[in-house]
Amino acid sequence: SIQAHKEEDNPQKTMEVNGLTPVPDSYDYDLIVIGGGSGGLAAAKEAAKYEKKVMVLDFVTPTPQGNSWGLGGTCVNVGCIPKKLMHQAALLGQALQDSRKFGWQFTEEVRHNWVTMTESVQNYIGSLNWGYRVSLRDKKVTYENAYGEFVGPHTIKTTNKKGVEKLYTAERFIIATGERPRYLGIPGDKEYCISSDDLFSLPYCPGRTLVVGASYVALECAGFLAGLGLDVTVMVRSILLRGFDQDMANRIGEYMKEHGVNFIREFVPTKVEQVEEGTPGKLKVMAKSTTGDQIIEGEYNTVLLAIGRDPCTRKIGLDKVGVNINERTGKIPVNDEEQTNVPYIYAVGDILQDKLELTPVAIQAGRLLVRRLYAGATTKCDYVNVPTTVFTPLEYGACGYSEETAVEKFGEENIEVYHSHFWPLEWTVPSRDNNKCYAKIICNIQDNERVIGFHVLGPNAGEVTQGFAAAIKCGLTKEQLDSTVGIHPVCAEV
Amino acid sequence: FVRTAQSCHGRPIFALFCGDKDAEGRSWCPDCVTAEPIVRKELHNLPDKSVFIYCLVGDRAYWKDPNNEFRRNLKLTGVPTLLKYGTPQKLVEEECFKAELVRMLFTED
């Protein structure tokens, strides 16, 4: 029956694919979504709205430390959500210190309990996992906690925890398998190091921590760990926050350094050994300079690897159905309708080549894709001017071009950068830094001084940036910005 | 409730919280009246060795009090609530009307 359904050759089927006549029950499902994360769930729920028969497959291959989690994908379980909550925990620690200057009196020393925080965070995540399952079941979307891989045209094999295999067919597929942390490939990395996949549910305080990497994951984690009172060192191979505006990246690094985070620049780890077992234990890390022969050693309770993430596209049978992937990166190239080179197979989320790796982007892409497939819509996902925020101790919000990219694209003489330091009113009384918060906009002189880049470094950067992203989408110009009266006293008025 | 739940430690515990019933056996909470038979019909799907606790939360006035023990200690936000004790898994109000969801709570991990 699998052979009989090659609808590309069947003109009647082509009509049905356009939704003009009902699709015959020749496939098990109208749509199978591989991956129950931000993109996958959004697409599945949207398809269910149009009464399509949908299945979602979600499976978490345990980490080298044996860790796993429930439905919802990276963002919910080991990404944005726990990260922001722990960042908030660190900010509250700072607020407690500040509060004394505002008149609050408490005699007890303030200490942080890692286990209390982690249990609360995991409990919340658990309620989200459950909420997604209720939502899928309620909308009649079939969910299987099983690993999906293609075995032939329109056919996938699912394997659950117990090794039970089943085959399913579908008219269309959406691949939304996301990514997992990369390891270094050095002795001791998988046995002794942890990644962000393990950090947010670690049942013991990580203690003195070495964070390897200079990505936003590395800096955000290093940031909140230090904010909770831990001794943190970040080992950076070359630059911070590759791909982000480098001036802003360096300011973030400076702030973190001045606030107790140690940086070891231009070194890479070569070996990790266990000195002592325990929760946490003691690890010895050997590292080599990238600019010479120098070798250094350090002892830490925990080593957190945050050197990058790789797409989960290599072991899902894409070769069996002919889906092209970038062999070097594992990413899937798609057209502007999220379609792979195989017409009935689509992809959304972090696995896409040359697209931003953000939850809201995946959700938007998933929803719009499904509306185009089943509701006759034509809107494509707009990947331009997507706002982002890095939740380092000093938060960084951005939308549009970095200064370097703007110069490269438009020429230095055609852009104008307006910038300013600012001192949040809330920081004045507790005497916090008065020259660290910073904002800049990059304007295109040739286009009415259109704002093409927005960058802000300061508290609540995410909240500040969201509104400006909408303005930029509407074509905000410097003049319009100048003529907008500020709200006082808030950081955003700068 | 908590004492009973603790005495069953080690076994899966499911609990249904409903408003008190009057002399005719009818609850002041209309959603509880709807949900109870649906939940009871799914009880045969409970896993082996599990415990099902049926708990009344008091009269309407007590339930409405934002400081009542159920809201404070068990974090209940509505009645009826059907939950798997010790996990974040629960169904609240109209969710309890759906046999499919009740069955999912009872039978899946």
Side-chain angles (χ1 to χ4, degrees):
Chain A
S1 66
I2 294 165
Q3 299 302 326
H5 299 298
K6 283 197 170 180
E7 85 283 18
E8 291 91 356
D9 308 331
N10 185 336
Q12 196 216 357
K13 196 76 169 115
T14 311
M15 259 177 64
E16 285 154 354
V17 159
N18 289 335
L20 296 174
T21 56
V23 179
D25 200 20
S26 46
Y27 295 111
D28 297 323
Y29 289 90
D30 295 314
L31 178 67
I32 291 182
V33 179
I34 310 180
S38 304
L41 289 181
K45 286 194 245 186
E46 188 73 20
K49 273 194 206 163
Y50 306 114
E51 324 251 297
K52 295 297 158 188
K53 196 163 174 223
V54 188
M55 174 157 82
V56 171
L57 298 172
D58 188 64
F59 191 83
V60 179
T61 305
T63 72
Q65 298 298 324
N67 208 18
S68 178
W69 48 86
L71 181 62
T74 294
C75 176
V76 165
N77 292 287
V78 288
C80 336
I81 302 289
K83 177 265 300 282
K84 183 92 192 288
L85 290 173
M86 294 197 177
H87 170 68
Q88 175 67 0
L91 290 178
L92 287 171
Q94 175 74 64
L96 282 170
Q97 299 305 324
D98 290 353
S99 73
R100 290 189 201 265
K101 291 276 177 63
F102 281 96
W104 289 100
Q105 295 172 339
F106 40 97
T107 50
E108 275 174 48
E109 202 196 293
V110 170
R111 275 189 320 261
H112 184 258
N113 184 314
W114 174 270
V115 172
T116 306
M117 172 184 71
T118 315
E119 278 179 2
S120 305
V121 169
Q122 288 301 315
N123 212 39
Y124 176 62
I125 292 174
S127 70
L128 290 179
N129 299 142
W130 173 250
Y132 286 127
R133 289 175 57 200
V134 168
S135 180
L136 288 183
R137 184 63 70 95
D138 202 30
K139 295 170 169 38
K140 311 268 186 287
V141 173
T142 308
Y143 158 60
E144 271 199 24
N145 183 209
Y147 188 92
E149 50 193 311
F150 287 97
V151 291
H154 290 274
T155 313
I156 50 153
K157 174 177 83 167
T158 68
T159 311
N160 71 9
K161 275 198 287 241
K162 305 199 170 115
V164 175
E165 292 179 0
K166 294 193 210 167
L167 289 179
Y168 294 104
T169 61
E171 190 191 347
R172 293 192 179 97
F173 294 82
I174 297 180
I175 307 171
T177 50
E179 302 182 305
R180 296 296 292 272
R182 192 179 300 151
Y183 277 76
L184 282 166
I186 60 169
D189 68 350
K190 294 213 168 121
E191 299 94 296
Y192 307 120
C193 300
I194 63 168
S195 72
S196 57
D197 281 356
D198 306 294
L199 179 65
F200 302 109
S201 55
L202 206 60
Y204 52 85
C205 182
R208 182 171 140 90
T209 304
L210 174 69
V211 178
V212 182
S215 54
Y216 75 82
V217 175
L219 297 186
E220 286 176 339
C221 290
F224 74 70
L225 289 174
L228 298 176
L230 303 181
D231 178 345
V232 178
T233 304
V234 181
M235 187 176 287
V236 176
R237 184 185 59 187
S238 64
I239 62 171
L240 299 178
L241 295 173
R242 185 179 303 274
F244 286 82
D245 184 295
Q246 282 299 291
D247 175 41
M248 304 306 281
N250 289 324
R251 286 170 189 273
I252 291 172
E254 281 307 307
Y255 184 87
M256 287 175 69
K257 208 156 74 172
E258 284 167 25
H259 288 262
V261 177
N262 307 302
F263 280 85
I264 299 178
R265 309 283 305 240
E266 297 184 331
F267 272 84
V268 288
T270 51
K271 191 164 160 190
V272 179
E273 284 174 355
Q274 187 178 61
V275 169
E276 229 176 75
E277 262 185 61
T279 54
K282 266 205 213 132
L283 300 172
K284 184 157 83 169
V285 180
M286 253 81 73
K288 182 173 176 329
S289 166
T290 58
T291 56
D293 288 329
Q294 204 195 349
I295 309 261
I296 56 170
E297 255 179 35
E299 241 181 50
Y300 305 92
N301 294 122
T302 299
V303 177
L304 172 68
L305 299 182
I307 55 170
R309 293 173 65 78
D310 292 320
C312 300
T313 50
R314 309 232 189 229
K315 294 189 189 160
I316 54 173
L318 293 183
D319 51 317
K320 303 247 171 32
V321 279
V323 172
N324 290 337
I325 66 170
N326 179 315
E327 277 306 321
R328 188 181 61 88
T329 62
K331 295 228 171 181
I332 302 185
V334 292
N335 62 18
D336 63 0
E337 298 191 329
E338 287 82 28
Q339 193 180 35
T340 68
N341 59 305
V342 178
Y344 65 90
I345 301 181
Y346 299 80
V348 293
D350 288 0
I351 54 173
L352 296 190
Q353 180 159 281
D354 297 327
K355 302 279 197 280
L356 288 159
E357 295 177 21
L358 296 166
T359 283
V361 172
I363 293 176
Q364 179 87 312
R367 279 198 195 131
L368 292 180
L369 167 63
V370 165
R371 279 182 214 161
R372 289 193 307 269
L373 290 179
Y374 300 121
T378 51
T379 319
K380 301 185 199 179
C381 188
D382 184 2
Y383 292 97
V384 170
N385 289 332
V386 172
T388 64
T389 296
V390 181
F391 293 96
T392 34
L394 192 55
E395 294 177 12
Y396 167 42
C399 182
Y401 288 95
S402 67
E403 201 172 321
E404 305 89 63
T405 320
V407 163
E408 205 186 296
K409 179 149 184 184
F410 298 97
E412 196 169 342
E413 63 284 3
N414 292 319
I415 64 162
E416 189 72 54
V417 178
Y418 297 92
H419 66 149
S420 174
H421 281 99
F422 59 94
W423 197 22
L425 183 63
E426 295 82 357
W427 288 24
T428 56
V429 165
S431 305
R432 287 174 62 186
D433 302 293
N434 65 351
N435 62 344
K436 290 292 184 288
C437 296
Y438 181 74
K440 74 179 175 186
I441 54 163
I442 302 167
C443 301
N444 183 350
I445 301 177
Q446 295 179 315
D447 181 20
N448 252 6
E449 279 212 303
R450 184 111 18 223
V451 177
I452 58 170
F454 171 91
H455 303 264
V456 65
L457 190 61
N460 304 304
E463 308 292 358
V464 172
T465 306
Q466 183 70 86
F468 285 99
I472 290 176
K473 211 170 167 72
C474 296
L476 181 74
T477 62
K478 175 70 164 54
E479 197 187 328
Q480 287 170 318
L481 195 55
D482 286 344
S483 66
T484 307
V485 180
I487 301 172
H488 183 76
V490 296
C491 296
E493 64 179 307
V494 73
Chain B
F1 169 80
V2 174
R3 249 177 299 134
T4 312
Q6 279 169 354
S7 71
C8 304
H9 184 67
R11 303 162 67 180
I13 301 170
F14 297 89
L16 177 64
F17 296 87
C18 290
D20 278 8
K21 295 180 167 169
D22 61 21
E24 274 100 53
R26 211 173 155 79
S27 175
W28 56 260
C29 161
D31 286 350
C32 302
V33 172
T34 314
E36 196 176 321
I38 297 172
V39 172
R40 290 202 180 271
K41 222 158 123 208
E42 294 296 324
L43 289 180
H44 66 273
N45 283 317
L46 285 172
D48 279 346
K49 303 216 176 33
S50 61
V51 176
F52 177 73
I53 301 178
Y54 178 72
C55 184
L56 297 174
V57 300
D59 61 21
R60 180 183 254 126
Y62 182 69
W63 173 250
K64 292 291 187 200
D65 174 10
N67 275 326
N68 79 49
E69 288 171 307
F70 294 98
R71 291 187 195 267
R72 250 202 348 238
N73 302 351
L74 292 173
K75 310 278 187 274
L76 293 196
T77 53
V79 277
T81 290
L82 178 66
L83 54 77
K84 188 168 175 179
Y85 191 65
T87 76
Q89 298 183 355
K90 63 178 181 176
L91 298 172
V92 180
E93 293 160 359
E94 315 85 57
E95 291 175 339
C96 301
F97 299 170
K98 301 182 184 174
E100 266 287 312
L101 297 183
V102 175
R103 204 173 309 141
M104 180 169 87
L105 180 71
F106 286 166
T107 60
E108 292 179 29
D109 257 332

